[in-house]
């Protein structure tokens, strides 16, 4: 039996880019809010899962994202995807959260996001 592939972040699975483009753009342009539900892709269930893991604010979530930093952008996004799965963020929302957080952080720390990931 073949081993299953590790979960991967896939930008094409981030529905936020098409179905909620205004929400995504507004998040990128706005001042960062503490409330986790201000992050596109985080609703009440994901917020509860994150809080159970000790992530109380959007700032904490960004801190966790940065702790997983890898020079290889795909590896960094994959590590965050795996971590989100481990704490209970479900389904395709992980891709939306990763897209939103990585793009927001890239504004402050250029090079965090690599546009070539969109070429999959």
């Amino acid at each position: 039996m073949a081993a299953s592939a590790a979960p991967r972040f896939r930008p094409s699975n981030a529905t936020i880019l098409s179905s909620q483009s205004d929400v995504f753009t507004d998040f990128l342009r706005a001042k960062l809010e503490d409330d986790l539900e201000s992050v596109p892709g985080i609703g009440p269930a994901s917020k509860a899962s994150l809080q159970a893991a000790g992530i109380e604010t959007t700032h904490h979530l960004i801190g966790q994202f940065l702790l997983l930093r890898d020079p290889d952008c795909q590896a960094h996004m994959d590590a965050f995807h795996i971590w989100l799965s481990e704490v209970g963020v479900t389904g395709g929302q992980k891709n939306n959260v990763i897209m939103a957080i990585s793009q927001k952080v890239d504004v402050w720390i250029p090079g965090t996001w690599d546009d070539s990931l969109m070429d999959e």
Side-chain angles (χ1 to χ4, degrees):
M1 175 187 283
S4 62
R8 285 184 50 116
F9 166 68
R10 289 182 172 47
S12 60
N13 291 342
T15 58
I16 194 169
L17 297 178
S18 57
S19 64
Q20 301 174 338
S21 61
D22 290 341
V23 172
F24 181 62
T25 302
D26 291 347
F27 174 74
L28 293 179
R29 290 183 178 159
K31 177 182 172 188
L32 190 64
E33 296 179 28
D34 280 337
D35 184 10
L36 287 165
E37 287 188 57
S38 69
V39 178
I42 296 180
S46 294
K47 180 179 179 177
S49 295
L50 289 164
Q51 288 175 327
I55 305 297
E56 296 289 332
T57 68
T58 303
H59 295 86
H60 292 161
L61 184 61
I62 288 172
Q64 181 63 39
F65 173 78
L66 291 172
L67 282 172
L68 298 170
R69 176 83 171 103
D70 188 293
D72 178 278
C73 185
Q74 182 68 58
H76 183 197
M77 302 307 131
D78 290 347
F80 195 45
H81 189 280
I82 291 165
W83 180 84
L84 288 167
S85 295
E86 289 172 350
V87 300
V89 176
T90 60
Q93 295 307 324
K94 290 184 290 263
N95 290 302
N96 289 331
V97 172
I98 295 165
M99 183 64 77
I101 293 296
S102 64
Q103 295 282 327
K104 185 78 164 181
V105 171
D106 193 61
V107 171
W108 307 322
I109 307 171
T112 304
W113 172 255
D114 181 352
D115 281 334
S116 71
L117 290 180
M118 297 300 288
D119 298 336
E120 57 173 41

